Amino acid sequence: MSEDSLNLVLQIKVDKSSSDLAKVQIKPEEITPFGGIFSIMEQFDALLSNIIDSTPGLRCKSFGYSYAETLCSLMCVFFCGSSCVEDVSAHLMHHLSCHPKLKTCSADTILRAIKELTSENITYTSSSSEKSYDFNTADKMNELPVKAHCKHFYIHANRRSAFYDNMLILRE
């Protein structure tokens, strides 16, 4: 074709219903291999953050990370296939910080928050072997599973019953 030739374009107008339209999603410029965890983090934030922050009390008022944010970061460590808390700082922080709204904290912050939630150790001494065992009941967090269960499964607070048994078994 010469440069002076005329190109004709046929335009066909098609009416589409709203069900035929494509869904447009805004994606970040940076692609992350852990992007699938974002929807889980958002659900965690929507469903459990208020319960987590109200049970042990606020961790911070104006700046820093709440208990819900630290527990969400800890959850991401294991859901993303890591086996230790330090992996959040070493491998995951760059990828998890791509989410525009959710905050991911460092391994040191997660470990400080866990330490804040512990209580004094209780020592049990076995009568048969005279061995001592230390365990921590984490009193501040004992009520959290019950509150979460009551809120999301609509169990009336004064009609609940739960059975929990903790047994120490002597092993050699």
Side-chain angles (χ1 to χ4, degrees), residues 11 34 42-43 54 60-61 80 82 115 140 156 165:
Q11 184 177 9
F34 300 107
E42 289 168 359
Q43 287 296 314
S54 67
C60 57
K61 291 183 181 180
C80 289
S82 296
K115 187 174 182 178
K140 292 180 184 177
H156 199 270
D165 189 13

Side-chain angles (χ1 to χ4, degrees), residues 24-156:
V24 177
Q25 293 181 342
I26 299 171
K27 294 186 177 185
E29 293 177 15
E30 188 172 338
I31 296 174
T32 173
F34 300 107
I37 194 72
F38 292 157
S39 62
I40 296 171
M41 291 171 69
E42 289 168 359
Q43 287 296 314
F44 182 90
D45 188 49
L47 297 174
L48 295 174
S49 288
N50 292 337
I51 296 171
I52 291 172
D53 288 335
S54 67
T55 300
L58 284 177
R59 184 169 185 264
C60 57
K61 291 183 181 180
S62 58
F63 63 92
Y65 296 95
S66 67
Y67 285 121
E69 290 165 339
T70 56
L71 290 176
C72 186
S73 297
L74 179 63
M75 176 190 73
C76 287
V77 169
F78 299 109
F79 282 176
C80 289
S82 296
S83 59
C84 63
V85 177
E86 286 77 13
D87 286 346
V88 76
S89 296
H91 305 295
L92 300 174
M93 183 69 77
H94 172 72
H95 300 292
L96 296 177
S97 64
C98 291
H99 194 283
K101 294 180 184 174
L102 300 173
K103 293 169 44 178
T104 305
C105 54
S106 69
D108 293 334
T109 304
I110 294 171
L111 294 172
R112 273 194 311 272
I114 291 172
K115 187 174 182 178
E116 291 168 9
L117 294 172
T118 60
S119 58
E120 291 295 319
N121 283 345
I122 297 172
T123 303
Y124 169 78
T125 305
S126 172
S127 58
S128 60
S129 68
E130 298 298 321
K131 288 187 179 183
S132 296
Y133 303 94
D134 287 339
F135 60 95
N136 195 298
T137 58
D139 294 329
K140 292 180 184 177
M141 295 303 287
N142 279 340
E143 195 64 28
L144 179 62
V146 176
K147 283 184 177 180
H149 194 74
C150 288
K151 180 176 180 183
H152 293 292
F153 294 107
Y154 307 107
I155 297 173
H156 199 270

